């Protein structure tokens, strides 16, 4: 992928989250409109009132509502949340009227509690991943402190009819365990949240994030596969996603969803077969590649991270090495290794050789060894910045790009504070 496009995707993602003037109104049909923003908001009108599907992040939500307002007929009877990620639930209060029912799949409650429970953990990681300043988390709110808006929670399926129009809601876990798909049989339209095109990527679509490295529970591959099958079986003519543009035509929708599903299934099965053959997670991260036939980029989700996500999701943290059973990590003895090498200089020299020989990751590990003993060793920090910049030059994934930038910024900060001493 072109560096300019990655930067664009990265900037678009970060900038759109804050901007409001990118919000556009899109007509899907006479009774369905979309506010296209960092994550889409849909309004479906019926003779007896309207249904809102997803509500955007808090910042662009008022603009999305303003654009959609003239297409809302009668009271807002239902707000449906395809899942509980912040970029879909930020505008709930703007749409809620007396008597509005808010619908979500039952796992929404735990998803929101989980995110709130670990806010202090996620806040700096989200800030690092998206290049934002860290917002100070408040005191620990406890285990069950999330604001839960839904008034209707369902397990497998929920349906209602409004103004003669039937809405069917299916539990379709994938990117999150609470994902749901909204199906309007009369229009053959499905709304599938972020289970496809998690970040609204243009073709060739990206492989999904089976594990988002900002930190998440494993996203279960086989659930995701089954959920995509559920949507394919509905035979939609129009597919509306949480991000990006509508997809139209059943043949094209089926082609793209099938490709996506098969890619997830392929990676999952390769991991499981590798595990059963006794292979360790790092071997599989190196070995498993997506066959060309799937024609999916790794701009958003990285296959190697997904391999590890699936492996660790099944097996947890223990790697069958007795050394790993104890609280002392390998890095405890890094300063001893530096001493054995005769000081940091030869280790840093080796790191620079690795960079010159196209092995920037090995160089990074070597700088870890030096910095474990002295976090402000200037030469090790400089080598580290070089290694990170080399990795960034070839980076195709905008999440990885964000973390590399974070690493460079952090090393530069250490370097300037070491120079001040
Ligand atoms: Zn989203």
């Amino acid at each position: 992928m072109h560096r300019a496009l990655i930067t664009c995707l990265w900037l678009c993602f970060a900038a759109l989250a804050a901007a409001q003037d990118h919000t556009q109104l899109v007509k899907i049909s006479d009774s369905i409109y979309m506010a296209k923003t960092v994550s889409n908001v849909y309004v479906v009108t019926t003779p007896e009132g309207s249904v809102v599907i997803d509500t955007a992040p808090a910042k662009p939500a008022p603009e999305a509502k303003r654009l959609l307002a003239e297409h809302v007929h009668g009271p807002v009877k239902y707000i449906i949340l395809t899942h509980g990620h912040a970029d879909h639930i930020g505008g709930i209060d703007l749409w809620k009227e007396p008597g509005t029912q808010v619908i979500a799949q039952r796992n929404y409650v735990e998803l929101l509690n989980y995110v709130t429970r670990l806010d202090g953990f996620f806040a700096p990681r989200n800030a690092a991943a998206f290049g934002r300043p860290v917002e100070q988390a408040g005191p620990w709110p406890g285990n069950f402190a999330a604001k839960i808006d839904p008034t209707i929670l369902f397990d497998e399926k929920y349906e209602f009819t409004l103004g003669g129009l039937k809405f069917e809601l299916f539990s379709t876990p994938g990117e999150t365990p609470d994902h749901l798909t909204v199906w309007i049989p009369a229009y053959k339209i499905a709304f599938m949240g972020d289970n496809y095109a998690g970040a609204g990527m243009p073709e060739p679509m990206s492989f999904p994030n089976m594990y988002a490295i900002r930190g998440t529970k494993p996203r279960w591959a086989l659930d995701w596969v089954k959920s995509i099958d559920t949507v394919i079986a509905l035979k939609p003519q129009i597919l509306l996603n949480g991000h990006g543009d509508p997809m139209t035509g059943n043949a094209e929708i089926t082609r793209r969803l099938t490709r996506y599903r098969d890619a997830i299934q392929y990676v999952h099965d390769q991991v499981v077969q590798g595990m059963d053959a006794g292979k360790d997670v790092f071997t599989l991260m190196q070995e498993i590649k997506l066959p060309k036939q799937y024609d999916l980029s790794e701009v958003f989700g990285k296959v190697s991270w997904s391999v590890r996500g699936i492996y660790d999701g099944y097996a947890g943290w223990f790697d069958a090495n007795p050394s790993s059973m104890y609280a002392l990590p390998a890095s405890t003895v890094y300063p001893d290794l530096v001493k054995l090498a005769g000081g940091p200089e030869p280790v840093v020299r080796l790191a620079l050789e690795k960079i010159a020989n196209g092995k920037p990751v090995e160089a990074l590990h070597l700088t870890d060894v030096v910095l474990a003993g002295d976090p402000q060793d200037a030469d090790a920090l400089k080598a580290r910045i070089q290694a990170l910049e080399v990795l960034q030059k070839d980076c195709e994934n905008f999440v990885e790009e964000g973390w590399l930038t974070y690493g460079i910024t952090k090393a530069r900060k250490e370097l300037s504070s070491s120079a001040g001493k």
Side-chain angles (χ1 to χ4, degrees):
M1 149 130 341
H2 232 260
R3 170 114 185 159
L5 180 54
I6 301 167
T7 310
C8 168
L9 289 167
W10 169 245
L11 288 176
C12 289
F13 196 78
L16 278 177
Q20 297 181 8
D21 52 0
H22 285 81
T23 307
Q24 280 175 284
L25 182 71
V26 179
K27 182 179 178 178
I28 307 293
S29 70
D30 285 344
S31 54
I32 302 181
Y33 283 82
M34 162 172 93
K36 187 169 186 278
T37 177
V38 62
S39 71
N40 302 328
V41 182
Y42 298 94
V43 165
V44 183
T45 56
T46 81
E48 286 174 17
S50 297
V51 175
V52 174
I53 300 172
D54 284 344
T55 65
K59 276 189 184 162
E63 178 61 6
K65 189 178 180 215
R66 191 188 66 73
L67 285 173
L68 288 165
E70 65 172 299
H71 301 291
V72 175
H73 301 307
V76 174
K77 289 280 195 181
Y78 297 94
I79 298 169
I80 303 172
L81 304 169
T82 61
H83 62 296
H85 274 168
D87 56 327
H88 298 257
I89 65 171
I92 296 173
D93 288 342
L94 297 176
W95 289 101
K96 235 196 290 187
E97 299 171 5
T100 302
Q101 298 284 358
V102 182
I103 312 178
Q105 201 278 341
R106 194 173 303 282
N107 292 327
Y108 177 100
V109 177
E110 170 52 19
L111 180 74
L112 262 76
N113 278 325
Y114 151 70
V115 170
T116 307
R117 184 183 301 149
L118 286 159
D119 185 41
F121 172 80
F122 286 129
R125 292 172 69 117
N126 283 333
F130 297 113
R132 294 190 305 236
V134 185
E135 284 168 34
Q136 209 50 50
W140 186 54
N143 286 322
F144 305 102
K147 178 172 177 275
I148 303 297
D149 291 294
T151 52
I152 296 172
L153 293 162
F154 70 96
D155 291 307
E156 290 302 319
K157 191 180 175 193
Y158 183 81
E159 58 181 63
F160 64 88
T161 300
L162 182 67
L165 193 64
K166 191 170 166 195
F167 293 76
E168 295 180 8
L169 279 55
F170 299 93
S171 165
T172 46
E175 194 188 80
T176 58
D178 68 324
H179 248 85
L180 63 82
T181 296
V182 183
W183 172 238
I184 306 178
Y187 299 150
K188 295 196 173 303
I189 290 184
F191 303 74
M192 70 181 293
D194 288 2
N195 275 347
Y196 181 80
M201 294 293 147
E203 285 290 307
M205 247 291 294
S206 173
F207 190 76
N209 263 331
M210 308 294 299
Y211 169 74
I213 62 164
R214 66 171 188 275
T216 88
K217 292 187 194 179
R219 295 168 172 178
W220 296 109
L222 293 180
D223 284 354
W224 207 326
V225 165
K226 191 168 162 231
S227 294
I228 294 173
D229 278 338
T230 301
V231 178
I232 292 172
L234 295 169
K235 299 191 169 55
Q237 286 297 339
I238 299 179
L239 189 67
L240 300 172
N241 294 295
H243 303 267
D245 296 320
M247 270 194 263
T248 55
N250 181 252
E252 181 61 6
I253 292 169
T254 304
R255 183 187 75 78
R256 289 208 213 168
L257 289 185
T258 304
R259 173 188 62 170
Y260 200 64
R261 175 201 68 192
D262 289 352
I264 295 172
Q265 176 99 52
Y266 175 84
V267 172
H268 169 271
D269 291 357
Q270 289 291 306
V271 175
V272 172
Q273 286 168 38
M275 291 174 82
D276 282 344
K279 292 185 179 176
D280 68 272
V281 67
F282 295 108
T283 302
L284 293 176
M285 284 174 77
Q286 290 171 56
E287 278 182 6
I288 298 173
K289 307 273 179 240
L290 210 54
K292 280 255 175 308
Q293 79 222 47
Y294 295 120
D295 190 26
L296 292 169
S297 75
E298 296 187 51
V299 177
F300 179 53
K302 260 185 95 116
V303 170
S304 60
W305 297 346
S306 296
V307 167
R308 191 167 183 182
I310 293 164
Y311 197 118
D312 289 357
Y314 277 129
W317 57 264
F318 187 55
D319 59 0
N321 175 359
S323 311
S324 308
M325 290 196 295
Y326 304 98
L328 288 185
S331 56
T332 317
V333 297
Y334 287 177
D336 298 324
L337 294 178
V338 173
K339 221 181 282 169
L340 279 177
E345 296 81 11
V347 187
V348 173
R349 207 180 320 121
L350 185 58
L352 293 171
E353 279 170 33
K354 294 280 187 189
I355 295 170
N357 292 325
K359 294 179 173 169
V361 177
E362 291 180 24
L364 265 189
H365 288 316
L366 286 167
T367 64
D368 281 338
V369 171
V370 176
L371 295 168
D374 177 6
Q376 295 196 327
D377 184 288
D379 291 333
L381 286 167
K382 283 179 199 158
R384 185 174 184 81
I385 292 167
Q386 248 191 66
L388 291 165
E389 284 173 346
V390 168
L391 285 165
Q392 205 175 40
K393 199 157 68 63
D394 296 327
C395 176
E396 294 198 343
N397 178 287
F398 74 83
V399 180
E400 181 184 354
E401 166 108 13
W403 282 105
L404 291 169
T405 303
Y406 165 78
I408 292 168
T409 310
K410 197 169 166 226
R412 284 202 182 123
K413 227 182 256 171
E414 284 291 351
L415 198 55
S416 60
S417 69
S418 77
K421 279 188 180 167

